Amino acid sequence: MKKTLIAAALVALASTATMAQGNKFDYNVDRFADIQVLRYQVPGFEQLSLSQKKLVYYLTEAALQGRDILTDQNCKYNLQVRQTLEAIYTSYKGNKNSADFKGLEKYLKQVWFANGIHHHYSKDKFTPEFSQKFFDARVKALPKSKLPLAKGQTKSSFIKVMDRVIFDKNFMAKSVNLAAGQDLITTSANNLYEGVTQKEVEAYYKSIKDTTDKTPISYGLNAKVVKENGKVVEKVYKVGGLYSAAITKIVANLKEAMKYAENEGQKAYIQKLIDFYVTGSLRTFDEYSILWAQETKSDVDFVNGFIENYGDPLSMTGSWEGMVNFRNKAASERTTLVSSNAQYFEDASPVDSRFKKQNVKGVSAKVITAAILAGDSYPSTPIGINLPNSNWIRSQYGSKSVTIENITDAYDEVANGTGFNDEFAYSDVEVELMKKYLTLADKLHTDLHECLGHASGQMLPGVDVGLLKNYRSTLEEGRADLFALYHMADPKLIELGIFKDKDTYKAEYYKYIMNGLLTQLTRIEPGKDIEEAHMRNRKFVSEWCYQHGKADNVIEYVKRDGKTYVRINDYEKLHELFGKLLAEVQRIKSEGDFEAGKALVETYGVKVDPEIHKEILERYSKLDIAPYKGFVNPSYTLVKDKKGNITDVKITYGEGYAQQMLRYSRDYSPLTK
Ligand code: ZN
């Protein structure tokens, strides 16, 4: 639950990435539907030691081997759909400019991007722009060996299933349903539960949860819940269990990586992760998380496992995710400064003292360079991560927080010159404010959100975060955002030398409110509510401040030439409002006040004004910007001498989007063979 995503296509700024003169790096890779695919640079890779390069190499292999797991978790038909479409796509000899083929290509690119048939952000099923007739004929023309038929399945029964999955818009319409009042399990098309109702799942976990346990495991994190012989049971993801073929390959590469560990601490946590994958024991996973959180000396680090629970409407099961990275030493000085003042910010927080941490432990923060993105982080990727997610581990052992700067630099690079802020900001004053300060302000927002925000505060004794159910992620993200927003205006940041100008925070305030009230609507289809947790959080924060600042005209909607803008009239009052709301959201979390959390999110974070929505979409469409972005990875190859010894690891960037996806399907697809 602790990751930061980039806010809409907002950052319209000058470049911060450095590039060699005359050797322009090409960031743009592909464009389709609502997606722009980019590539990112990995500055500093060449300067790693040979041993570190080998470590990175085997960790990237371990990351890529998990791709199919996530795809299967998202929906049980996803792998079959992907394989079938790839088989048609690569064998098609007909007219590639026909509407049907173009439609199929677009759909396949969407499926690759979302790791399945549902949009990665809205969770709605994609609408195919090719005919069922075309699809059926292409499948019929393929040899049986090219199709992922189940054992004993005939081609015609296979086609029937695929037709329903791809073309029936009411079948499995949503991968994750968060609509209040519905059975969130049976109405979600993801593959984390099967044949069970929400009531049954809740009853099952209630029966196995030890509520007196002060160090509870993350129940359900690595399991699919099904009914067997009328009984609700967990099918555990592990070697010999569910996803065994993929997990076995991950483990083999982790073993190889372990040989090049930078120190004993790192070796120990890699071994523990292997133990977890072999046993499936969530106690072992906690032991791993503790070792991982405490090891802060190594430069190379990674995420590999069942991590974030946004894919589960009950916020329990972790989506498989991988990322390999290494420390950006120069930029890390900033986050070290922030994290070493963690206790100052905790004390200065406007929340009730009962909900504050007396001793903020081990918040380690660094700026990293991503070397590979995988699973839930690929191609759409976060710009900041804070882990582990387990609350008691965070409070007793601390957490690691990272800002992924080579990714934000790539975003900044391509956002330059899109005209976005010129269109949506109220006046030149706001445009200038953002031009001047937003790059730094955004980085600080991410630092504060990740290093301190999620790590701040404490639960009242005996309160379980699970009480907040489907509002948990939204409220948690809101809490971290509010913590960051509130403290950004603290003169302490000037004192620390992080901000040079006292107005820097205003750039973030303006961007945040403009995004929360207006521009994030570019990501919502007409007539739809806001569903995704980060979007709901940005909406409820902005809307609540708008409503509660009305008497003082803190935030104002202004109409000019038929266009709607927001203006912030009083930045200091807005700062106070952020503080008030932070205190309330922290109270809701600390007390597990489900009703208040629900009321907050449902009142301020879900509904959309259809008139403004329509207007924003029209203005946005004229700018021709893709609302979502993601990345292809660089490729890593081992360089060997005649005796077979590894002498170097080479990094290359040239790969295209379809090319990479097809290569991954060929080389890293243990669940489809
Ligand atoms: Zn977060």
Side-chain angles (χ1 to χ4, degrees):
M1 131 185 18
K2 318 297 196 289
K3 68 174 173 182
T4 308
L5 302 157
I6 192 106
L10 261 177
V11 206
L13 293 162
S15 148
T16 53
T18 45
M19 282 181 302
Q21 274 294 336
N23 183 21
K24 188 131 176 82
F25 186 82
D26 187 5
Y27 288 93
N28 291 296
V29 179
D30 205 348
R31 175 80 198 264
F32 52 89
D34 53 357
I35 303 291
Q36 186 177 11
V37 180
L38 310 171
R39 58 171 64 85
Y40 58 94
Q41 304 193 71
V42 188
F45 179 76
E46 267 95 3
Q47 284 72 49
L48 295 176
S49 70
L50 178 58
S51 178
Q52 285 176 319
K53 283 182 185 174
K54 291 186 205 168
L55 174 60
V56 168
Y57 176 82
Y58 287 108
L59 290 173
T60 62
E61 289 289 302
L64 294 173
Q65 292 292 358
R67 178 178 181 241
D68 285 355
I69 298 177
L70 177 75
T71 303
D72 192 69
Q73 282 182 306
N74 285 344
C75 178
K76 70 171 183 173
Y77 296 110
N78 279 342
L79 287 171
Q80 283 178 307
V81 171
R82 192 187 79 198
Q83 275 184 283
T84 307
L85 294 170
E86 285 175 353
I88 297 171
Y89 183 67
T90 53
S91 68
Y92 187 66
K93 299 276 186 287
N95 177 9
K96 291 195 175 171
N97 286 316
S98 68
D100 274 326
F101 185 79
K102 286 273 175 213
L104 182 130
E105 182 178 44
K106 177 176 170 183
Y107 184 84
L108 174 57
K109 286 182 173 183
Q110 289 179 295
V111 167
W112 280 330
F113 195 89
N115 291 288
I117 59 172
H118 300 90
H119 192 280
H120 73 288
Y121 214 78
S122 74
K123 310 298 179 192
D124 293 325
K125 201 158 97 169
F126 293 123
T127 307
E129 292 172 19
F130 54 100
S131 68
Q132 189 173 322
K133 204 174 136 207
F134 173 78
F135 176 77
D136 291 359
R138 295 329 309 161
V139 178
K140 276 189 197 131
L142 285 167
K144 250 182 153 181
S145 62
K146 288 261 183 191
L147 293 170
L149 302 180
K151 219 175 169 188
Q153 190 176 24
T154 63
K155 226 192 223 188
S156 63
S157 80
F158 174 76
I159 291 175
K160 232 184 198 164
V161 174
M162 287 296 105
D163 281 348
R164 189 159 181 231
V165 170
I166 296 172
F167 297 98
D168 180 350
K169 70 176 174 16
N170 297 318
F171 180 62
M172 296 190 145
K174 203 145 197 118
S175 62
V176 186
N177 180 28
L178 295 176
Q182 299 180 10
D183 183 320
L184 304 179
I185 299 296
T186 55
T187 56
S188 293
N190 65 38
N191 191 23
L192 309 176
Y193 303 92
E194 196 165 357
V196 286
T197 64
Q198 183 176 349
K199 267 209 181 104
E200 288 170 329
V201 173
E202 285 172 350
Y204 170 76
Y205 281 105
K206 203 171 169 203
S207 77
I208 63 164
K209 262 188 193 173
D210 174 2
T211 49
T212 61
D213 190 351
K214 296 253 183 335
T215 59
I217 54 168
S218 302
Y219 287 95
L221 188 73
N222 64 335
K224 175 175 176 175
V225 177
V226 299
K227 217 183 264 177
E228 252 176 17
N229 307 318
K231 272 186 73 177
V232 177
V233 293
E234 285 187 328
K235 294 260 183 202
V236 177
Y237 308 149
K238 62 173 188 169
V239 173
L242 210 51
Y243 303 139
S244 185
I247 295 173
T248 303
K249 292 213 161 168
I250 293 170
V251 166
N253 282 292
L254 288 175
K255 277 187 180 156
E256 206 54 41
M258 204 164 70
K259 294 179 187 164
Y260 307 103
E262 292 180 71
N263 54 51
E264 287 305 311
Q266 186 171 55
K267 199 180 220 168
Y269 77 69
I270 298 176
Q271 180 60 56
K272 208 44 116 176
L273 180 59
I274 293 171
D275 294 346
F276 162 66
Y277 275 134
V278 170
T279 63
S281 158
L282 287 170
R283 287 270 170 230
T284 307
F285 183 69
D286 285 346
E287 288 163 21
Y288 154 74
S289 297
I290 293 166
L291 291 175
W292 179 79
Q294 292 193 308
E295 199 292 291
T296 54
K297 297 248 180 329
S298 57
D299 288 330
V300 176
D301 202 352
F302 67 92
V303 174
N304 187 304
F306 303 97
I307 309 292
E308 308 288 354
N309 50 31
Y310 304 100
D312 179 356
L314 299 185
S315 300
M316 291 196 292
T317 309
S319 297
W320 194 89
E321 179 178 354
M323 174 180 290
V324 181
N325 61 75
F326 55 89
R327 191 189 310 266
N328 175 338
K329 285 176 188 161
S332 290
E333 284 171 19
R334 183 189 73 233
T335 52
T336 305
L337 210 50
V338 170
S339 59
S340 60
N341 283 281
Q343 193 67 52
Y344 165 82
F345 289 108
E346 183 79 3
D347 295 343
S349 236
V351 311
D352 190 296
S353 59
R354 291 176 301 144
F355 312 140
K356 279 191 200 181
K357 281 201 177 107
Q358 298 312 310
N359 288 300
V360 183
K361 282 213 183 90
V363 184
S364 82
K366 60 183 173 181
V367 177
I368 58 164
T369 303
I372 207 93
L373 311 169
D376 204 21
S377 287
Y378 170 83
S380 171
T381 198
I383 52 171
I385 304 178
N386 182 305
L387 292 172
N389 280 334
S390 167
N391 274 302
W392 68 266
I393 296 178
R394 299 165 70 80
S395 58
Q396 288 180 32
Y397 298 93
S399 59
K400 274 186 194 170
S401 172
V402 301
T403 308
I404 312 164
E405 210 144 292
N406 60 328
I407 297 297
T408 44
D409 284 346
Y411 278 127
D412 282 358
E413 191 65 37
V414 297
N416 190 17
T418 56
F420 186 88
N421 286 349
D422 295 307
E423 174 60 38
F424 290 108
Y426 172 67
S427 74
D428 289 350
V429 175
E430 287 79 10
V431 173
E432 279 309 306
L433 194 64
M434 291 192 278
K435 232 182 220 159
K436 216 163 157 187
Y437 301 123
L438 196 54
T439 296
L440 181 61
D442 260 345
K443 282 175 182 171
L444 248 293
H445 183 269
T446 307
D447 293 344
L448 288 167
H449 175 117
E450 296 296 342
C451 326
L452 306 186
H454 282 306
S456 73
Q458 64 179 3
M459 308 295 291
L460 286 187
V463 176
D464 175 15
V465 286
L467 289 170
L468 298 176
K469 291 189 198 174
N470 47 317
Y471 301 104
R472 176 172 155 188
S473 295
T474 298
L475 290 164
E476 178 58 18
E477 292 311 320
R479 195 178 72 89
D481 266 359
L482 285 161
F483 190 96
L485 290 164
Y486 180 78
H487 289 297
M488 282 191 84
D490 191 327
K492 183 81 178 175
L493 292 172
I494 307 253
E495 190 190 303
L496 291 171
I498 295 172
F499 285 169
K500 299 278 177 282
D501 192 320
K502 63 173 176 39
D503 284 342
T504 310
Y505 80 92
K506 292 182 183 171
E508 187 67 25
Y509 277 27
Y510 190 78
K511 183 203 92 166
Y512 195 92
I513 296 295
M514 175 175 84
N515 182 45
L517 293 180
L518 296 180
T519 50
Q520 72 165 350
L521 295 175
T522 55
R523 294 180 156 198
I524 309 273
E525 284 175 38
K528 291 253 163 72
D529 284 342
I530 300 176
E531 308 233 8
E532 197 276 335
H534 294 83
M535 290 184 71
R536 282 188 165 187
N537 116 51
R538 288 167 187 149
K539 172 72 174 169
F540 92 69
V541 168
S542 306
E543 186 71 31
W544 188 94
C545 290
Y546 168 67
Q547 299 288 354
H548 287 73
K550 252 185 178 167
D552 296 320
N553 202 22
V554 177
I555 300 164
E556 184 185 6
Y557 281 94
V558 183
K559 272 254 188 209
R560 196 177 57 214
D561 303 331
K563 291 179 177 180
T564 309
Y565 301 90
V566 288
R567 181 163 67 180
I568 296 175
N569 293 312
D570 193 333
Y571 281 92
E572 268 155 46
K573 283 235 166 75
L574 181 55
H575 173 234
E576 284 169 28
L577 288 168
F578 283 145
K580 269 189 194 150
L581 185 55
L582 171 58
E584 172 61 3
V585 176
Q586 182 62 56
R587 183 198 66 75
I588 289 170
K589 180 180 179 183
S590 295
E591 295 179 353
D593 188 345
F594 174 79
E595 287 305 327
K598 177 182 173 184
L600 189 58
V601 176
E602 293 291 341
T603 310
Y604 300 104
V606 179
K607 292 291 169 206
V608 172
D609 179 323
E611 284 300 310
I612 289 186
H613 190 192
K614 187 164 168 267
E615 178 202 318
I616 297 296
L617 287 176
E618 277 169 16
R619 288 162 66 187
Y620 186 67
S621 68
K622 288 189 187 130
L623 295 173
D624 195 30
I625 302 170
Y628 301 98
K629 294 181 176 63
F631 294 88
V632 294
N633 285 310
S635 315
Y636 297 90
T637 34
L638 296 175
V639 181
K640 292 180 180 173
D641 65 14
K642 280 183 192 141
K643 290 180 191 142
N645 301 311
I646 302 166
T647 56
D648 198 7
V649 180
K650 235 181 103 143
I651 181 169
T652 49
Y653 295 102
E655 203 166 26
Y657 176 64
Q659 199 184 357
Q660 179 156 96
M661 289 296 174
L662 290 169
R663 177 168 69 88
Y664 285 180
S665 295
R666 187 192 68 210
D667 295 347
Y668 303 99
S669 199
L671 299 184
T672 61
K673 301 270 151 64

